[in-house]
Amino acid sequence: MSTKTARSQWSSRFTFILAATGSAVGLGNIWKFPYITGEYGGGAFVLVYLCCIAILGIPMLMAEIMIGRAGSSSPSNSFRELTTANNLNKHWSAAGTIGVTAAFLVLTFYSVIGGWSIAYLSYSLQGLFAGNDAAAIGDIFNDLISSPSAVIGWHTIFMLFAVSVVARGVNKGIEKTVTVLMPAMFILLLMLVAYASTTPGFQQSLQFLFSFDFSKLTAEGVLQALGHAFFTLSLGLAIMLAYGSYLGKDVSISRTAVIVSFLDTLVALLAGIVIFSVAFSNNLTPGAGPGLVFQTLPLAFGQMPGGNLLSIFFFFMLLFAAWSSAISITEPCVSQLMQRFNISRKRSSALIGISAWLIGVLAALSFSVLSDTHIIGLSIFDFLDYITTNILLPLGCMITALFCGWALPKTISQEALDLNDTQHKLWIFILRFITPVLILIVFISNFL
Ligand code: PHE
């Protein structure tokens, strides 16, 4: 199919919401949000985070979806359609190119972690965690990441999962898959929450997450909340540009953006309740990152009655969250390549899959045979993470904010966004001044 034929469309607003929520809900909700919340003052942090989502996240989410829908093309080309139609500088499309580049690089290492989650699902299906102590659980993790054949194998399977869905197209691939994955993920999460509420650590977890401790809310905490608001809504990676380009003109972008942000936050909070209840019930201190999901939780599950079944639920949930996010990172890359070289979706998916897989192999091996290879002092895996999250992602968001705030004629956004006059003025004001300044602050602080 060439890019010239009619562009696909989501079959309903609901499927768009599922796909966008599938993108937003990912490892960030499960292994980062709960931890930073506990670290920086519980309820006080949640309050700041909600402000960041409302002030920065939602307006930016609206901006990306709007540009995608208005341009109805690949990420860079959607910008270009708008700049051409309105006689603007064509270099604004750099935001699309930067976003797609970032998405491609994120895909390479996201697939490695996605692979770990399939590995852990298989371990939980085999009941490997039962009765193990911390050392044995630590060995399971270290054995996995230090085995080149294992990590590459799981990475390969996960990459195939993601790419094969995108290759089948928006309706038959992405839409069909997220309509199964997302409801299943929600049901698993709700079952885990129901279980968590019966554990002795439940009260403590609520206290950890929701008791206000403003003394723990430092400037660093506020910066974390800012950065996480962008990451968790998958902004700056051209994802919402790509997904927005398949959105029908009759759908309200503002309302949809609010719903997606609400669901994303809900999942983060519920995942936090589950994780902390399980950890506290076993007298474990929860940390962040891979250690939390791949060591602390398996250890806890291994000690609890019925823990094996819970671990199966949990790793299915993790896999579904990671899978739907990976699909969303693949789509902008595939769409861009299709449009740029006028090739079919299948061919574009294959090219993206193979090249991202190759770089991912290097990232996967940076925990074993390539552990001595460093780029600017970072392992290959950390380097990829660093340049995407700390540099490309904020840069893409910054250009998008400036474009919508300063360059794009106001009438265009007013018409596209379904906002009243005051709301639209506020939206412009935020993207003109607030977002760029705050991104600049986060950007600079990342270097300090
Ligand atoms: N938004 C996802 C999360 O919170 C992260 C993500 C990053 C998803 C990059 C897609 C691409 O985990």
Side-chain angles (χ1 to χ4, degrees), residues 262-425:
F262 170 79
L263 290 174
D264 181 66
T265 308
L266 184 69
V267 171
L269 291 171
L270 292 178
I273 293 174
V274 170
I275 287 168
F276 290 131
S277 300
V278 169
F280 290 146
S281 299
N282 290 278
N283 299 317
L284 297 168
T285 327
L292 173 63
V293 173
F294 297 117
Q295 298 193 46
T296 310
L297 288 183
L299 178 61
F301 288 135
Q303 320 271 318
M304 330 181 60
N308 196 46
L309 188 64
L310 293 168
S311 71
I312 293 172
F313 286 179
F314 181 83
F315 285 108
F316 261 118
M317 179 184 83
L318 188 71
L319 174 61
F320 291 171
W323 189 2
S324 54
S325 290
I327 290 170
S328 78
I329 327 175
T330 311
E331 176 56 29
C333 309
V334 167
S335 148
Q336 182 100 340
L337 204 67
M338 273 167 76
Q339 184 269 323
R340 178 75 181 69
F341 296 104
N342 200 14
I343 54 176
S344 72
R345 175 170 280 274
K346 290 225 157 50
R347 179 166 298 185
S348 176
S349 305
L351 288 172
I352 293 292
I354 293 168
S355 47
W357 177 83
L358 272 173
I359 302 177
V361 166
L362 300 179
L365 295 180
S366 67
F367 298 98
S368 53
V369 289
L370 294 180
S371 62
D372 290 331
T373 307
H374 288 101
I375 310 172
I376 55 164
L378 298 168
S379 72
I380 299 172
F381 187 97
D382 290 340
F383 172 74
L384 289 166
D385 182 17
Y386 180 82
I387 51 166
T388 48
T389 342
N390 291 332
I391 297 174
L392 295 176
L393 189 153
L395 202 60
C397 286
M398 173 76 98
I399 302 175
T400 307
L402 295 175
F403 176 72
C404 292
W406 295 94
L408 192 71
K410 289 183 194 165
T411 44
I412 306 246
S413 51
Q414 173 126 47
E415 201 192 351
L417 286 178
D418 187 28
L419 294 174
N420 67 31
D421 250 8
T422 322
Q423 291 168 328
H424 181 248
K425 284 209 179 91

Side-chain angles (χ1 to χ4, degrees), residues 11-12 33 71 84 179 234 250 273 377:
S11 22
S12 66
F33 175 80
T84 314
T179 345
S234 305
D250 53 331
I273 293 174

Side-chain angles (χ1 to χ4, degrees), residues 160-185:
L160 283 172
F161 273 26
V163 172
S164 61
V165 170
V166 173
R168 271 179 278 140
V170 176
N171 301 112
K172 290 198 190 114
I174 303 179
E175 193 166 286
K176 236 181 178 170
T177 310
V178 295
T179 345
V180 178
L181 289 189
M182 293 320 289
M185 200 218 70

Side-chain angles (χ1 to χ4, degrees), residues 23-29 106 110 228 231-234 237 239 264 325-326 328-329:
S23 173
V25 172
L27 297 168
N29 301 58
V106 169
Y110 207 83
H228 192 64
F231 184 80
T232 194
L233 293 178
S234 305
L237 295 164
I239 292 172
D264 181 66
S325 290
S328 78
I329 327 175

Side-chain angles (χ1 to χ4, degrees), residues 5 89 101 123 146 151 174 178 226 257 271 305 314 339 389 404 427 437:
T5 53
N89 187 318
T101 311
Y123 300 161
S146 62
V151 277
I174 303 179
V178 295
L226 280 172
F314 181 83
Q339 184 269 323
T389 342
C404 292
W427 183 80
V437 169

